[in-house]
Amino acid sequence: QVQLVESGGGLVQPGGSLRLSCVASGLPFSAFALGWFRQSPGKEREFVAAIGSGGKRLKADSVEGRFRISADDAKNTVTLQMNRLIPEDTAVYYCAARHFRASKVDKDYEFWGQGTQVTVSS
């Protein structure tokens, strides 16, 4: 059974950093694209970043220059390094997986984790 488990969320002050991780199991990691989405209360789920099976990266304009997605095939793990966090980054962050190609569309992803809370506040 495919399982995605996120970790690394927490409370940070504006300008701080967090590193989120998503460990995937039950799938051939190298053949999948992994993406990060986020959702705040009362808002729709929003694309953050994704990395395809070939290493191609996609990123939302709102996090350009601040967030970086990477994958570690040996650990079946995708990481989202978040720097210079702002209050608008506060959300539950979800890891998602689909075959091969990265996508910005949440409905393209078949598998989802349970999410990890990120709160940016003073």
Side-chain angles (χ1 to χ4, degrees):
Q1 183 176 358
V2 174
Q3 187 174 40
L4 305 175
V5 180
E6 303 97 333
S7 63
L11 173 64
V12 297
Q13 293 186 330
S17 298
L18 281 175
R19 188 176 187 179
L20 306 183
S21 295
C22 173
V23 179
S25 61
L27 56 80
F29 187 83
S30 63
F32 274 73
L34 280 299
W36 287 96
F37 293 79
R38 65 188 183 186
Q39 188 167 26
S40 300
K43 298 182 179 179
E44 294 184 348
R45 189 161 50 198
E46 176 189 17
F47 171 76
V48 178
I51 184 167
S53 63
K56 180 179 176 62
R57 292 178 171 88
L58 301 175
K59 191 180 300 180
D61 291 343
S62 61
V63 303
E64 181 66 38
R66 300 189 298 119
F67 292 10
R68 178 176 172 82
I69 188 169
S70 60
D72 186 336
D73 290 351
K75 298 180 179 180
N76 289 355
T77 299
V78 62
T79 298
L80 184 68
Q81 178 66 48
M82 306 187 296
N83 300 320
R84 287 169 280 152
L85 286 159
I86 59 177
E88 289 76 12
D89 295 322
T90 296
V92 177
Y93 283 70
Y94 297 92
C95 178
R98 70 186 302 266
H99 274 97
F100 299 114
R101 296 185 180 274
S103 173
K104 297 181 179 181
V105 180
D106 57 357
K107 291 185 177 180
D108 286 345
Y109 290 83
E110 182 177 2
F111 306 106
W112 292 82
Q114 294 300 307
T116 184
Q117 177 70 48
V118 172
T119 302
V120 185
S121 176
S122 299

